[in-house]
Amino acid sequence: MTPTPPAAGPRRHDVVVVGGGPGGYATAFRAAVRGLDVALVEQDQLGGTCLHRGCIPSKAILHVAGVLAEVQRGDVLGLTVSGAGIDGEALGAFRDGVVTRLHKGLEHLADTRTTRYQGRGRVRGRVRGRVRGRTADHLEVEVTGDDGTVTALSAPHVVLATGSRPKLVPALAVDGEVVQTSDQALWFSQAPQRAVIVGAGAIGVEFASMWAPMGSEVTLVEALDRVLPLEDVDSSAALTAAYRRRGIEVLTSAQVRGVTVEDGLASVDVEVDGEERLLTADRVLVAVGRSPATEGTGAEELGVLDERGYVVTDAFGATEVAGLWAVGDVRPTLALAHAAFAEGAVVADRIAGVADVRAVDHVHTPRVTYSHPEVASVGLTEAQARRRYGEDAVTTTTSTLRGNAKAIIAGSDGLVKLVHLAGGPPGGAPGGPGPGGGRRRGGGA
């Protein structure tokens, strides 16, 4: 279908936010609270990947997996339980019910605080515009709907918040059935019998914790030398030990050479320690990270992308193009929903002219991986701290949870690790290490 040319004269707003995920709607709502006229553009469903294909549906299923895992140790707890298993239809209804309830609430907020436009937004360049009785240079955004209709918007400020998508690798051709990304893998009627998860970052280890209690034989394949490579090494070791005790196979420093699919089964060719292994599975999850979804947004033409496709901004989310901002996964910062919320609040406040706005401190932004056991952290890892302050300037304090009452009751284990300057209090005193000298917790029960 040939797109309909834009109508004469764009629709004027104070702010146009392109992308309705956590970063986008957080920016839009904050700007609206500050009294600005906000347009919110989304081509798919409001809430983005987090609400519909990521954080929320995965946590709903992880909750079910956690309940099942508790039932499976019922004999230890004094419970007599038989026939516990997964009803795929009921599980799907529970997952979808959680998402639908949150989506309806979010749509209500958006309808009452913003002007919504359905379609794909693209920043086209500058036009002269008049808003609130003032004429100035505006950025123009074209919104193309599914039917090809084009609506032109303009505003002195445009915020790119188009999120990210699963990263693909040439050796693993995704077919959406046997070989999947996280976009498809949450929509199962029954857990796989044998699963190979390529990538042991947050997404990979969460799926391992999801499928293992449901009876899946799970193998994690990680190219680097440990699982959760962005976390502290002791957290990685604690999680690896816990997984192996539960029968989850963990292969690190492993390279996937290719995959073939025949009759619903995948054969995954993996090289580990110089030796070839052939893994067979009815589900292969490609979880090697995510890439910024900036194609087609106009950002490349405006010259604000780096070599990896991320939007280049200052600490406050502003690009070198006056009036163009970015928040969330399109920036090379923490790819976490609450980090995107915080970035959105900062950008909205800067646009609104709020005094003394502080940039988001990404080093001290809390991070949680919803594996079992969970891994939580804030601040620098031990290795990062030693690189920053020197080998002899950093010390650590580690306590296990083996004597912790809650951990004993839950049948779990773990540790708390504090990274601090030698001679200083755990976590670092104000005025001591400064940003990045904070404490870190890992491998919690």
Side-chain angles (χ1 to χ4, degrees), residues 341-409:
F341 290 153
E343 291 174 1
V346 167
V347 166
D349 285 353
R350 293 280 284 191
I351 291 173
V354 176
D356 299 324
V357 178
R358 293 185 179 183
V360 176
D361 180 356
H362 288 99
V363 171
H364 288 97
T365 299
R367 303 172 292 279
V368 180
T369 300
Y370 291 88
S371 50
H372 181 71
E374 292 181 358
V375 176
S377 59
V378 62
L380 297 178
T381 67
E382 179 182 350
Q384 290 169 338
R386 292 189 187 281
R387 284 196 297 270
R388 177 174 293 193
Y389 299 109
E391 286 289 332
D392 298 333
V394 174
T395 188
T396 66
T397 303
T398 302
S399 298
T400 73
L401 296 180
R402 291 171 186 167
N404 178 272
K406 185 174 182 180
I408 294 171
I409 293 168

Side-chain angles (χ1 to χ4, degrees), residues 116-136:
R116 293 175 58 194
Y117 295 91
Q118 187 72 31
R120 183 175 182 83
R122 182 183 183 89
V123 185
R124 301 296 297 181
R126 294 199 171 278
V127 294
R128 293 292 288 177
R130 187 174 182 84
V131 174
R132 299 176 186 264
R134 298 174 59 187
T135 301

Side-chain angles (χ1 to χ4, degrees), residues 108-151:
H108 174 73
L109 287 174
D111 288 338
T112 56
R113 298 184 180 186
T114 71
T115 302
R116 293 175 58 194
Y117 295 91
Q118 187 72 31
R120 183 175 182 83
R122 182 183 183 89
V123 185
R124 301 296 297 181
R126 294 199 171 278
V127 294
R128 293 292 288 177
R130 187 174 182 84
V131 174
R132 299 176 186 264
R134 298 174 59 187
T135 301
D137 282 342
H138 285 199
L139 288 167
E140 186 172 36
V141 177
E142 283 186 0
V143 181
T144 304
D146 291 339
D147 61 355
T149 301
V150 178
T151 302

Side-chain angles (χ1 to χ4, degrees), residues 1 33 57 127 224 320 398:
M1 177 181 294
V33 168
V127 294
L224 299 180
E320 291 185 348
T398 302

